[in-house]
Structures are given as structure tokens and as C-alpha cells.
Amino acid sequence: MGAMDTLQADVLVVGYGKGGKTVAAKLGRLGKRVVLVERSDQMYGGTCPNVGCVPTKSLVHHSRKRRPEDDAQEWYERSVAKVQAVAKMMRDGNYEGLTSIESVTVITGQAAFTGSHTVRVETANGPLTITAETILINTGSEPIVLDVPGLRSSQYLVTSTDLIQTTVLPRRLTIIGGGYLGLEFASIYGQFGSKVTVLETGPKFLKHLDDDIATAAEDILRDEGVEIVTDARIIEVRDGDSGATIVYESEGRQQTLEADAVLAATGRAPATRDLALDAAGVATTKRGAVRVDEYLRTSQSHIYALGDVNGGPQFTYISLDDSRIVLDQLLGEGRRSTADRVAVPYTVFITPPLATVGLTEREARAAGHRLKVASQAVAEILAMPRAYAVEETRGVMKFVIDADSDEILGAALLSIDAQEIINTIALAMRHGIKAAELRDAVYNHPTSTEAVNDVLATAVLTD
């Protein structure tokens, strides 16, 4: 690379994720010399716009538009093309968004630490050494594949990234793992026309939720043709000429399942393997996550870790909030921390979406609260005509309320627009707004949010 074989920066960002790119843009606009390193030109912008949130939610949309008379393979192939076009548009926009800032340089290549202030990057044009006063690690996470005989070597094994980029619709899709990712893909590919089977290794489906919510979600998926097997111990995966045979044990019996594609959806691990963190003196957890304090500082005070790589919740909006914490450290008063996060909502984008925030009824009871619970099937909520207008009346809404303080402790919404309503509930929880205030508030009509009026009115004291 000649004269370009060494770069000096004020701030080096390793990884193009939401948190890192946000900090890079802010500091770059302030005139700081920022270098951002991303190992793949297909990942500018991070996981969300390229292989995560945006393409998967786009696939949810396209899968639901398919009519019975539409050829499944043709519809799927067109849908993938549209989704990839959107991803490319966002990827290009993310790249230009940083490279248009005069003091920001984007380098494509694999980075590895050679010291606490120095990183070596292997680029297409040769090695490059970058030295910086402050370093941000934002490399995200990667799929976990269970150590099952034949699984990792199977030619039919796919990750979520592989699956959304293939143009051939799997006729039989087996998903190993019944978490958020697995269920989203089960819902998507079931609607596209695949025969979907979910093998959940645990004894219960959506075990972190209350049984009534988990059962309602399971019933919706089963009604759409998704087969769900719980307490499934995967024994072996055997490749054949036209597919894989998955051997598993459930209810004490060994069974087999044939699949054209096997999706590993058993979680994601922090992507730290190739960073040579030892050379920088950066400590990691047993799971390989970069160890950080509540201000996202690593064991080296000038090195920060943002997003999935630090072992926190694996969501884009958490990575964005990480950027606020780091910017407060670099530019502000240094007071903001992960401890400030209260009532963070989560959504699994099955159809209808399942959104949750705060405590479940089971958790609240275990914590010693005296409870009121409000729960109502969407089809019975008279103040929610939008559900009938868009012909999506499936699901249930549930609120868990402290009987003494009237504070909302948690909510689970399995309904049309749940991903939007939950933000209102979370905001109310963060600011101590009582359940009665939400119940009696004036909401626009006809909307899904106004269902809160009716549901909270059903709150009853529980034993």
C-alpha cells in the first residue's frame, strides 16, 4: 500500500454496526480523525440493514402478500430480489453516509490487535497498520451451530444470512431452535410455502413468557401449519442426495425428519475470535464477549465495546443506546450508563407480532408483588376496530400491574401493531405513569393503541 501502510487516527472503530457508525459520524462531523474498519463490503451498516432486521421484516411483508394462486418458488424468488435491492440501497447509503464526511476514512479488511492502541488490517491491497488514541469494538455477533454429529459439515445447513440470500425456496425447512429468530423464520417460510418444522431443545415453547401468552403464540403458528416439537434432543444429521435426515429424540422416542434446508437458530455469539484481543490486553467473558463496565469501557479504559460484541441484549436499538453512552464518555459528562436502561421492549415479528416489556406475571409474583392482571383476547376488544378493519383479530393483550402502586410492571402484546403499542407502554413505565392514567387516556381512533382502554379496564386482583 506504499505511503498508506500506516494511519494515525483520533478514533478507530472496528465494525460497521449501529453503535460504531453512529459514534464515527458524530465525531467525524466534529472534525475528529476517524477510521472505521469493516471486514466485508457486504456489511456496511452492520447486521440490521444487510442480513438482520430490515431484510427479515421485508420478507415478513412479502410472504404475507402471496396469494394461493401465486407460484411459491416464483413469488419467493421475486421477494428475495426485492429484499436484496433494499439491503443494497441501505448498504450504499450507510457507506456514503460516512465516506462523505471529510475526516472519516472507511477501510475494508480483517482487523486484529497488535497492541492496546494499534490494529493491523489485512486488506485487498496488503496490510495496513492503524494507531488510535481511542478504539471502539463493534463487530457484532455470529450464529451458534450446535456441536451435533454431522450438523456443522452438512451441505444443507444454513444460517439466517444464508437463508435470506438464497433464491430457492426450501420445500422442507427444519429449524433447530424455537427462540425469536427461529420463530420469525418459521412464520416467514411457512407463509412462503415451505413445510416448516421447529425443533426446540427445551421442554417448553417460549419458556421465558407466561404460559397463556406462549400458548396463544404457539396456537397461531400451528394453525398456520408450522410443526413445533419441544424437548427435542438432536442426535445426528445425515446428508443424502436430495436432503438431510435429522435424527432426534422426543418423548422418549427416536424419530427422523427429512429437510431440504436445516436452519441453525440456537443463538448468536459475540464475534471476537479473530480480533487478537489478548494482544491489546482486552478481557473477555467465558462466552467470548468483550467484558465491559456500565460505561462500556473494557479492561483498557480507552477501548470501548458496543452492541452484540459486549454480551448485552442483541438488538440494534441497544447498540444505538450504547453509542449514546460512549459519546457521553467522549464528549459529555460521562454519567450515562447501561444502568439507565429501564423498561426496554422486545418484539418477535411473527404475524401478528409478539411484543413484551418488563416482568411477566410469573416473574412479578416471584418478586413478591401483589398483582392485578388485565388480559383480553384481541377478538373481544371492542375498542380495537382496527383489528377487524385489517382482518387480523388473532392474539391476546396482557398487563401485569402492581396492586398497591398501580404501576405497570410488564406487558405482553400478541396483536396487530404490537411492535408500535409496546413503545407507548414502555415509555409510560419509564416515567411512572399509572395504569389508571393509561386506561383513561384519549387515543386516536381507529387505532390499535386505543385497545389499552378496554384491556386495562379488565384488571382484576389475583391471588
Side-chain angles (χ1 to χ4, degrees):
M1 297 186 69
M4 290 293 291
D5 60 358
T6 302
L7 282 178
Q8 178 73 40
D10 295 319
V11 178
L12 167 64
V13 182
V14 183
Y16 216 129
K18 182 70 171 181
K21 71 180 182 185
T22 303
V23 175
K26 176 68 173 180
L27 295 179
R29 292 190 186 101
L30 293 175
K32 298 288 187 181
R33 293 171 298 170
V34 180
V35 175
L36 187 146
V37 178
E38 169 54 51
R39 66 180 176 180
S40 170
D41 60 6
Q42 296 301 298
M43 289 299 288
Y44 298 146
T47 296
C48 182
N50 292 296
V51 297
C53 329
V54 175
T56 55
K57 278 51 175 182
S58 295
L59 285 174
V60 171
H61 169 71
H62 288 292
S63 70
R64 294 284 158 177
K65 290 178 67 178
R66 186 176 78 87
R67 301 164 302 182
E69 62 268 27
D70 292 320
D71 179 80
Q73 170 57 36
E74 290 181 4
W75 187 267
Y76 177 70
E77 190 170 350
R78 286 198 301 269
S79 298
V80 169
K82 291 179 180 178
V83 168
Q84 292 305 318
V86 171
K88 183 181 185 306
M89 180 267 294
M90 299 194 75
R91 181 164 58 250
D92 292 345
N94 272 287
Y95 182 76
E96 292 166 7
L98 284 187
T99 56
S100 63
I101 303 172
E102 186 176 354
S103 62
V104 176
T105 301
V106 175
I107 303 293
T108 304
Q110 176 63 54
F113 283 90
T114 57
S116 62
H117 284 274
T118 308
V119 166
R120 177 186 171 96
V121 183
E122 298 296 336
T123 77
N125 297 318
L128 171 68
T129 298
I130 305 171
T131 302
E133 298 172 12
T134 302
I135 300 177
L136 278 56
I137 303 171
N138 188 215
T139 50
S141 59
E142 53 195 3
I144 296 172
V145 180
L146 297 178
D147 188 15
V148 171
L151 178 59
R152 293 177 178 174
S153 61
S154 173
Q155 63 178 311
Y156 303 103
L157 172 69
V158 292
T159 65
S160 58
T161 300
D162 300 327
L163 194 55
I164 65 174
Q165 293 177 340
T166 181
T167 56
V168 178
L169 177 69
R171 188 166 51 90
R172 303 161 299 176
L173 173 64
T174 294
I175 301 174
I176 300 177
Y180 281 15
L181 181 67
L183 296 186
E184 285 189 10
F185 275 84
S187 179
I188 291 168
Y189 280 83
Q191 286 301 300
F192 272 126
S194 299
K195 177 176 173 50
V196 179
T197 303
V198 177
L199 299 178
E200 167 55 49
T201 56
K204 293 183 67 175
F205 177 74
L206 292 174
K207 62 181 179 181
H208 59 288
L209 298 179
D210 289 327
D211 290 345
D212 52 347
I213 302 299
T215 298
E218 183 176 2
D219 288 345
I220 287 173
L221 288 169
R222 288 189 188 278
D223 286 346
E224 291 193 339
V226 175
E227 182 181 2
I228 299 171
V229 181
T230 57
D231 205 15
R233 185 174 68 87
I234 315 298
I235 298 172
E236 182 186 12
V237 175
R238 297 194 299 260
D239 279 7
D241 293 336
S242 60
T245 299
I246 300 97
V247 183
Y248 68 96
E249 185 179 277
S250 181
E251 297 180 347
R253 294 187 299 114
Q254 189 172 114
Q255 303 182 56
T256 61
L257 182 64
E258 303 297 322
D260 304 304
V262 181
L263 171 63
T266 47
R268 296 176 65 89
T272 57
R273 286 182 302 169
D274 300 321
L275 294 177
L277 294 174
D278 288 348
V282 173
T284 59
T285 68
K286 290 181 179 179
R287 292 188 63 247
V290 178
R291 192 182 297 279
V292 294
D293 62 15
E294 65 180 301
Y295 302 103
L296 305 181
R297 296 176 302 208
T298 70
S299 50
Q300 296 283 352
S301 61
H302 66 285
I303 302 179
Y304 298 82
L306 302 79
D308 294 4
V309 77
N310 67 27
Q314 295 178 342
F315 299 101
T316 296
Y317 48 92
I318 294 297
S319 186
L320 175 61
D321 195 57
D322 283 355
S323 75
R324 299 177 184 130
I325 294 171
V326 172
L327 284 169
D328 189 43
Q329 286 288 307
L330 300 179
L331 302 174
E333 298 179 350
R335 295 181 179 178
R336 188 163 187 151
S337 78
T338 55
D340 298 327
R341 292 177 185 149
V342 179
V344 176
Y346 307 102
T347 301
V348 53
F349 284 84
I350 57 175
T351 303
L354 171 57
T356 61
V357 65
L359 301 177
T360 64
E361 179 183 355
R362 182 174 63 245
E363 291 168 340
R365 201 175 302 284
H369 293 277
R370 199 167 67 95
L371 299 179
K372 289 190 296 183
V373 174
S375 182
Q376 197 169 12
V378 171
E380 299 172 0
I381 304 175
L382 296 179
M384 195 179 179
R386 171 163 163 74
Y388 286 91
V390 300
E391 299 181 308
E392 181 54 275
T393 59
R394 297 176 297 174
V396 62
M397 291 186 171
K398 180 177 183 178
F399 292 84
V400 180
I401 305 158
D402 185 280
D404 299 315
S405 68
D406 199 39
E407 290 185 0
I408 298 172
L409 300 174
L413 312 177
L414 175 62
S415 73
I416 182 73
D417 299 328
Q419 77 280 9
E420 304 292 348
I421 308 169
I422 203 69
N423 289 322
T424 298
I425 307 305
L427 184 64
M429 291 172 63
R430 285 194 289 272
H431 291 275
I433 295 174
K434 307 297 184 182
E437 292 180 75
L438 273 186
R439 179 196 65 206
D440 298 333
V442 178
Y443 301 106
N444 192 16
H445 175 84
T447 64
S448 297
T449 309
E450 63 182 328
V452 172
N453 294 138
D454 267 23
V455 179
L456 285 175
T458 69
V460 294
L461 192 67
T462 62
D463 295 332

